[in-house]
Amino acid sequence: MSEQGGRPTGHEDAWWRQLYDGAPDDTGPAPAPDSLDDRFDSAADTVNEADGGPADGPADGEPSAGGSSGTPAPAPGPVPGSGTPPARPPGARRSDGRAPRPPEGPPPAWPPPGRTTSATGFPAPPTPPTLPAPTPPAPTLTGASAGSRAPRPVRPVEPPPPPHGHVGSRPPTYDAEPTTLPAADPHGLDDLVPDTVLDGARYGTCTLRAASVRGDSARYRGEPRRDALLTARFGSGDRALVLVAVATGVRGTPGAHRAAAEACRWIGKAVGLSHARLAEDITAGRRGDLKSGLHRLTDRTLGRLRAGAAEQGLGPEAYAATLRCLLLPADPGCRTRVFFGVGGGGLFRLRDGAWQDIEPKAAEARGGAVLGFGSPPSETPEGDRLTMDLGIPTPPSPYEPAPEPPREPFRFRTSVARRGDTLLLCSPGLADPLRGEDELGAHLATRWSRPGPPGLAAFLADTQVRVKGYADDRTAAAVWEA
């Protein structure tokens, strides 16, 4: 009951009964103020002191309630004629300077989180939170200590691949991954071509990376890869010779992949049978002998393709392929690289961070003699000596009529590699976007200019960076010079 004679409401009685449940009965008036407001104010003061803030008290110069220097100010009386104590505005301080009563409403959660209630019903001081122990600062090295510890070398950060797997302003039309497998013949399973082939090696001063990937268009239509790739080593030791052959079948012909594979196998056999003399000519720098001999080997290979087309009742263009090759001697003292072939594609060199298109021009290539079956002339118009030194006899043609010489000019180039160069031989599927999209060339130049060649997986990812409008097979062989 209130000492002011007011009659509390049932809501307040229920709240206070819950708050002081089990407390002893009221013992009557006490010398100190003991109204409901006084009890609440005392509890509020205790909470404020526990929180670390100053308790509400009188203003400067006023006696404190219940102190030794004065008596407590009397509580305001009831409103005349109402029988209830006068109402104070919400938030207004009491006349004795203590905290005001909270406004009436739903009772707050009690005790508040983090506080406990003592046996007397009043809140106990909250338990302070446990803070993690501070981490001691790292010691600062000074003087001799600082000079004796050198900073760790910073490894170069590898340039990231394109965020969407392609360069250019628009994404490619087809999906980036294979969707449909080519149809298989149960009687011709040896004719199946895998979607991707990957190879690599290191000989002498050069490191080789080679990959052939089915194009986005062929993946979408379920067509086999028309590009073929052959990497082969003939001989051993410093006298070994590495051949990289890339062939591309004619688009839209049913046996295009087969023609490309046969072209690689036949040129590989011809080079393998003559590898010792070829390696000797490369080391000695006999450019004329190399050009004439490789010209004849290439023409014989493509002549066999035309003969195969005749056997199948096809036109010569229906069973044909482009053919481009690199010869790399294993001798570390020889930095001569030999390119030869017929048909479209690309030959590029990355030097000092910039691409150079070193593809032999058609006008230059047409200057040489076009050799077919039959007795070759003893000398070309350029003065290159034609001999039988490669051990390849020239019997009369076994096919009548004899196949015509290739319509495409024979392309030949020798180059001397420098330290840090990257030589790139590729099929039209990669050569065309390299010439047509500057962003692709800039991306590959950044990726391949850092020290050391990429690993096989990284090289494969680089060759698969796509460009809108270019969806053919891609075959690439790159040589990094140490």
Side-chain angles (χ1 to χ4, degrees):
M1 295 295 293
S2 171
E3 289 295 315
Q4 298 178 2
R7 185 166 147 188
T9 62
H11 175 75
E12 290 180 338
D13 289 342
W15 181 47
W16 285 104
R17 279 198 303 269
Q18 181 180 357
L19 177 62
Y20 295 105
D21 186 23
D25 295 336
D26 190 4
T27 58
D34 195 27
S35 65
L36 292 178
D37 288 343
D38 296 329
R39 292 193 179 189
F40 180 85
D41 295 340
S42 176
D45 293 344
T46 303
V47 171
N48 290 336
E49 292 175 353
D51 287 341
D56 293 328
D60 294 342
E62 294 181 2
S64 59
S68 59
S69 61
T71 57
V79 178
S82 65
T84 60
R88 288 192 301 270
R93 301 185 67 87
R94 291 167 48 89
S95 60
D96 56 3
R98 295 180 178 173
R101 288 181 58 187
E104 293 188 359
W110 197 269
R115 298 195 178 112
T116 57
T117 304
S118 65
T120 60
F122 292 97
T127 302
T130 302
L131 299 178
T135 303
T140 303
L141 299 179
T142 58
S145 299
S148 60
R149 179 175 296 181
R152 293 183 179 180
V154 179
R155 299 183 62 183
V157 179
E158 182 176 340
H164 305 292
H166 66 85
V167 296
S169 58
R170 294 184 298 164
T173 303
Y174 303 101
D175 292 338
E177 300 297 335
T179 55
T180 306
L181 290 172
D185 180 2
H187 300 289
L189 296 181
D190 293 341
D191 198 38
L192 292 178
V193 182
D195 177 271
T196 302
V197 294
L198 185 63
D199 207 351
R202 183 173 62 192
Y203 289 100
T205 60
C206 64
T207 300
L208 171 67
R209 297 286 182 262
S212 184
V213 182
R214 188 163 54 136
D216 292 347
S217 176
R219 285 174 166 179
Y220 176 78
R221 293 180 171 86
E223 299 172 353
R225 176 167 47 88
R226 294 183 295 112
D227 278 4
L229 171 66
L230 172 68
T231 53
R233 173 182 61 86
F234 303 107
S236 60
D238 292 349
R239 299 179 61 84
L241 186 66
V242 176
L243 167 69
V244 180
V246 175
T248 302
V250 179
R251 184 196 305 273
T253 58
H257 63 290
R258 196 178 305 113
E262 289 183 352
C264 287
R265 285 197 298 268
W266 287 334
I267 194 66
K269 181 178 180 180
V271 169
L273 292 174
S274 307
H275 77 273
R277 180 57 189 269
L278 286 169
E280 181 182 339
D281 287 348
I282 294 174
T283 303
R286 302 187 185 107
R287 184 180 183 277
D289 290 353
L290 286 169
K291 182 176 181 180
S292 59
L294 294 173
H295 194 165
R296 294 177 61 236
L297 296 183
T298 302
D299 186 56
R300 285 177 61 86
T301 296
L302 298 182
R304 294 188 65 174
L305 285 181
R306 290 189 296 274
E311 291 177 352
Q312 301 176 52
L314 304 173
E317 299 300 328
Y319 197 75
T322 65
L323 179 63
R324 307 172 73 80
C325 304
L326 274 179
L327 291 178
L328 309 171
D331 184 359
C334 179
R335 287 186 175 267
T336 302
R337 312 295 178 237
V338 178
F339 160 78
F340 67 96
V342 170
L347 182 65
F348 304 91
R349 180 170 56 205
L350 180 62
R351 176 173 287 177
D352 298 329
W355 285 108
Q356 301 172 355
D357 191 340
I358 59 174
E359 172 80 8
K361 304 303 180 184
E364 300 172 2
R366 292 182 186 278
V370 178
L371 307 179
F373 290 97
S375 299
S378 60
E379 191 173 278
T380 68
E382 299 167 319
D384 291 332
R385 181 168 53 89
L386 301 179
T387 67
M388 303 297 289
D389 292 339
L390 295 180
I392 304 172
T394 311
S397 171
Y399 308 104
E400 294 295 341
E404 296 179 358
R407 298 180 181 179
E408 287 284 343
F410 176 74
R411 302 176 187 268
F412 176 86
R413 184 182 183 105
T414 60
S415 63
V416 178
R418 296 181 186 175
R419 181 178 180 180
D421 282 356
T422 300
L423 186 65
L424 175 64
L425 170 70
C426 53
S427 67
L430 183 58
D432 292 346
L434 270 176
R435 295 188 176 109
E437 179 59 59
D438 293 340
E439 192 173 347
L440 177 61
H443 171 73
L444 293 181
T446 301
R447 297 277 294 175
W448 294 351
S449 293
R450 64 185 190 275
L456 291 179
F459 178 76
L460 177 61
D462 291 339
T463 58
Q464 291 188 102
V465 175
R466 303 181 302 147
V467 183
K468 175 72 174 179
Y470 301 93
D472 284 342
D473 299 348
R474 287 187 179 184
T475 303
V479 181
W480 274 262
E481 300 292 342

